[in-house]
Amino acid sequence: MGRLGELEPVPRKSTVEIVYDELRSAILYGHLAPGEQLGEAELAGRLGISRGPLREAMQRLVQEGLLHSEPHRGLFVITLDEGDVEDVYLARLAIERAACTLVMDRNRGEAVARLTEALEHLVEAARERDRVKMSDADQAFHEVLVSSSGSARLERMSQTLLVETRMCLNALQDTYPEPGELVDEHRRLVDAISDGEEERLLRLIEDHMTDSIKRLA
């Protein structure tokens, strides 16, 4: 990294990365619905690209687990049944518990600052009672929580789980917590980190995930 104030080249994304981000976002927001088939020719035309980068981007999503291949039929967006929903949250619990432990062992102050900012976005979305913004802010909060652990691998593993979580919520919006309840759940997590209460933090993150399983079931 250069000296403070020194201009550096802006990283450029490859076509594959741009297409991957577009498809992943479409799955995240439900524009590509669970079970939907991805037609290569149609998507290449809509995105204005050749099939090569599209095919590579779709294979990345297969490896990530958000698309699956059916022999002689093609690629489809995954569907999540009740067992999958529980599995997603149990996997998130394992990752976020590990992240919380690392956060408490490392720079709590930085984590609290970043999470407080993320919480403010959640408060604003809750004030507007906008479900999409609330989901975005909820997801961003947990991305920051895992990122604050300093573990790139935990962060990488959590990304797919957060998209799968969003797919669950898209299908079951009626089960989403009330805005005030959602804010309070996340504020308690920040307070536990701020207070240095690791045991309380781990208990809260477990309650957060298990309550979500019950709600979505």
Side-chain angles (χ1 to χ4, degrees), residues 10-142:
V10 176
R12 293 182 63 186
K13 285 189 172 183
S14 69
T15 303
V16 172
E17 288 171 319
I18 293 168
V19 174
Y20 164 81
D21 287 342
E22 286 279 327
L23 294 177
R24 196 171 181 277
S25 181
I27 294 169
L28 175 72
Y29 287 102
H31 301 310
L32 287 172
E36 185 171 339
Q37 184 173 11
L38 275 65
E40 221 175 77
E42 184 208 352
L43 278 175
R46 280 168 61 186
L47 294 168
I49 57 168
S50 65
R51 293 196 191 190
L54 174 62
R55 197 171 290 134
E56 192 173 333
M58 291 195 297
Q59 283 306 312
R60 280 183 62 179
L61 289 164
V62 170
Q63 291 165 4
E64 194 173 333
L66 295 174
L67 297 179
H68 71 97
S69 176
E70 292 189 13
H72 312 300
R73 293 194 64 206
L75 294 178
F76 296 80
V77 179
I78 61 165
T79 56
L80 300 171
D81 61 23
E82 190 174 316
D84 291 318
V85 172
E86 182 175 3
D87 195 43
V88 165
Y89 278 93
L90 289 175
R92 276 189 60 189
L93 174 57
I95 287 170
E96 295 195 26
R97 274 182 63 91
C100 286
T101 299
L102 290 173
V103 163
M104 298 305 270
D105 287 343
R106 295 176 179 177
N107 193 345
R108 278 196 302 120
E110 181 185 341
V112 169
R114 293 179 64 198
L115 287 166
T116 299
E117 184 180 351
L119 182 63
E120 287 169 3
H121 292 302
L122 184 57
V123 168
E124 181 60 34
R127 188 177 295 123
E128 295 177 22
R129 301 186 74 87
D130 184 316
R131 290 289 187 184
V132 173
K133 285 184 180 178
M134 284 167 60
S135 294
D136 284 345
D138 186 351
Q139 179 173 334
F141 181 96
H142 288 275

